[in-house]
Structures are given as structure tokens and as C-alpha cells.
Amino acid sequence: MQREGSAFSGLGVVMLKELSDHLTSVRMRVLEWLVVLVALAALYGAIQQIKDTTAEDPFLFLRLFTTSRDPLPSFVSFLSFLVPLMAIGLGFDSVNGEHSRRTLSRILSQPIYRDALLFGKFLAGLVTLSISLITLWLLVIGLGLLLIGIPPGAEEIARSFVFLLVTIAYAGVWLALALLFSILTRSAATAALVTLGLWLFITFIWPVLAGAVAQAFLPPDPRYMALGLQTPGTAELEQILARFSPSTLYAEVVVALLDPTTRALGPIYLSQLQGAVLGAPLPLGESILIAWPQMVAMIATAMLLFVVGYVIFQRQEVRA
């Protein structure tokens, strides 16, 4: 009981200290303004596009997140690109920064356990990202209400709120990855470069390689190619491989949540369309069921990365 109380006390101290450092740091201010300015530009383009093209739409508010106007991509596209940068920017020097300042051994000489230190750093980063994303979400809803003039319905608010939670989980994956490399390397610059390189590979290169790997294992059927179609087995394997990227999982969840007419996140067969009214929106519960495997996969990935980092950190020498 005494150790548990001390562990919780140490966790709270570390979390509050790290949270205060994050919220007052220049780095966080730069990241926040970058995300806000870029998101506002995307939101402005979406609002102009909605005013120009949308007539009667039962989910008009959700279009704020997904509508794009050249040359700007959609709000969601910006988030999928910038949220990992924010998470990596907060986590790449969490542990190795303590090593370089020679403060880690002094911290652990206090009644603070290693697990409390690591978990407190991760929670502080996640809370910081959550505060930023919640503020941005409220800003989008407020500006949309002000500029469009139509209040969102309960279904739209619920879908956008679930989308917010998924975005926080997506940020948690990259934060856990940055924390892992902060543990593995003693140099903050090395951790940042490796994490950013891995992010670029997973996000932009791996989805392209997934198609090539799938075709190497399951060559396309010439009969389908003659019709301009993908071979079903090859397409399914390509999608499975692409889902090893958190960005792909996040994109699929976004499609299911913010487009209520989405009925599947993969190849659709005729048997799945029997009795379905094309174009009819699905209830929120069914949309969540469609995207549930991807949501669980993102949360499990964040937990796995954190556990690997925790095990490595427990075995490391921390003396200055």
C-alpha cells in the first residue's frame, strides 16, 4: 500500500511538472501556432467550398472536416500530417534529455519509481496534445457555426467528438514511438531524426510498397486487369499490409466516422449490398462498428510501443 501511494504521488508530480513544461515551452507555442494557422486556412477553404456547392445536406457540419478547396487539402488531411509532428516534437527528448542534463539519476534518487517517471512523461505529453486538439475542435465548431449559420445536429456533434477521441489516440501512437526512441538513443537529435524518418517511411512510402509486395506474393489475374479491375486477393493483401501504417488506420476511421454513407472500409462485394439503400446514412453505432478494428489497432499500437519502451527503460543504467 505504501509503495502504491508513493508511486501515484510520484506519477502526479512528474505529470504536473512535465505538463507545465510543455504548456509553457517555446517549442509547444510554435507547434500550436503552426497547427492552428494551417487548420484555419483549411477550414476557410472548406467553408468557401461548402457555400459554393452544398445545397441541402443533412451532415453539413461534417463537411467542414473533409471538404477541400484547391490548392488547400482538407482539415483532416492537415491533421493527419501535423498531429504526428506535434507528438514527435513533444516526445523525442523526454528521456534522453534527462540523460544529457544529467538529472535522471537525481530524479530517481527521490521517492519516484521508474514506471511513475515514464508513465508521467507519456501522460503529460498526451494531455498536452489533448488540450491542443480539443481547443482546435471547439474552434472549428465555433467558426463553422459563425460562418455557415446552421447549428450542428446531435449526430454531427457525436461523430465529430468520436473523431476527436480517435485523433487523440492517433497522436498517442506517435508520442509513444517518439518516447521509445528517446529511451533507445542518448542523443535527442538522433531520436528526432530516426522518429521523423520512420514517420515519413510509414506514412508516405509504405502504402506504396504495400501494393508492390502484395503483387509480388499474389500476382494480378490478367482477366481482372483486362477489365481495369484489381484482383480481389491482391487488393485484400495490399490493404492488410497498408494497415500496418497508423496513418492508413486513421484515414479509414475518419472515412467511416465523417462520411455516414460509408458501409465498408475495403473491397465491397455484391452480397454486401443486398437490401442496402445506396446513399442512405448509417447510424453512429454502425459506423463505429465498421471502424472499431482500426480504433483498437491504434490503441493497441500505442500500448505496445509504450510497453516496449518501459521494458527497455527498466533495464537501462541511469547513473550519471
Side-chain angles (χ1 to χ4, degrees), residues 11-294:
L11 173 62
V13 170
V14 173
M15 179 180 168
L16 291 177
K17 173 63 170 60
E18 291 292 322
L19 184 61
S20 175
D21 290 344
H22 286 324
L23 293 178
T24 57
S25 66
V26 176
R27 175 173 53 187
M28 187 61 196
R29 298 292 175 84
V30 172
L31 291 172
E32 285 176 347
W33 278 108
L34 174 65
V35 173
V36 169
L37 291 177
V38 172
L40 287 179
L43 182 61
Y44 175 79
I47 290 175
Q48 296 303 315
Q49 186 71 16
I50 288 172
K51 287 182 177 179
D52 292 342
T53 61
T54 305
E56 293 296 329
D57 190 334
F59 296 99
L60 184 64
F61 235 79
L62 296 181
R63 304 294 177 254
L64 291 174
F65 298 94
T66 58
T67 302
S68 61
R69 183 186 181 118
D70 291 333
L72 295 173
S74 65
F75 178 81
V76 166
S77 299
F78 272 126
L79 279 187
S80 65
F81 180 81
L82 292 175
V83 165
L85 293 181
M86 287 185 64
I88 293 171
L90 288 178
F92 75 93
D93 62 347
S94 294
V95 176
N96 51 29
E98 303 288 353
H99 280 292
S100 63
R101 293 188 296 269
R102 299 184 180 276
T103 55
L104 186 59
S105 58
R106 278 182 281 173
I107 292 174
L108 294 178
S109 66
Q110 307 298 319
I112 296 177
Y113 297 97
R114 292 194 185 198
D115 48 1
L117 175 67
L118 198 63
F119 198 46
K121 285 181 174 290
F122 178 77
L123 280 182
L126 192 61
V127 170
T128 304
L129 291 168
S130 301
I131 292 173
S132 302
L133 291 172
I134 290 172
T135 304
L136 192 60
W137 178 73
L138 293 173
L139 183 63
V140 170
I141 292 179
L143 286 177
L145 182 61
L146 180 64
L147 297 177
I148 296 179
I150 301 176
E155 176 86 2
E156 292 175 298
I157 292 294
R159 284 180 178 272
S160 64
F161 181 72
V162 177
F163 160 72
L164 170 65
L165 297 180
V166 170
T167 305
I168 293 173
Y170 176 62
V173 173
W174 297 107
L175 180 63
L177 182 65
L179 186 64
L180 172 61
F181 282 105
S182 178
I183 295 169
L184 289 174
T185 62
R186 291 298 177 97
S187 170
T190 302
L193 289 174
V194 172
T195 310
L196 286 172
L198 190 58
W199 166 67
L200 288 172
F201 175 79
I202 292 175
T203 302
F204 299 105
I205 300 176
W206 176 247
V208 179
L209 289 179
V213 173
Q215 292 182 14
F217 281 96
L218 292 176
D221 192 327
R223 293 173 297 178
Y224 286 92
M225 294 180 64
L227 298 174
L229 302 174
Q230 281 187 307
T231 306
T234 306
E236 291 178 0
L237 179 59
E238 179 181 351
Q239 188 177 45
I240 291 173
L241 294 175
R243 284 172 175 167
F244 281 95
S245 168
S247 300
T248 300
L249 296 175
Y250 179 68
E252 291 184 346
V253 174
V254 166
V255 170
L257 291 176
L258 300 183
D259 185 4
T261 60
T262 300
R263 295 184 173 274
L265 295 175
I268 300 178
Y269 301 101
L270 292 176
S271 59
Q272 295 176 274
L273 298 177
Q274 291 180 357
V277 180
L278 297 181
L282 294 177
L284 174 59
E286 293 189 18
S287 295
I288 292 177
L289 286 178
I290 291 173
W292 185 250
Q294 284 80 358

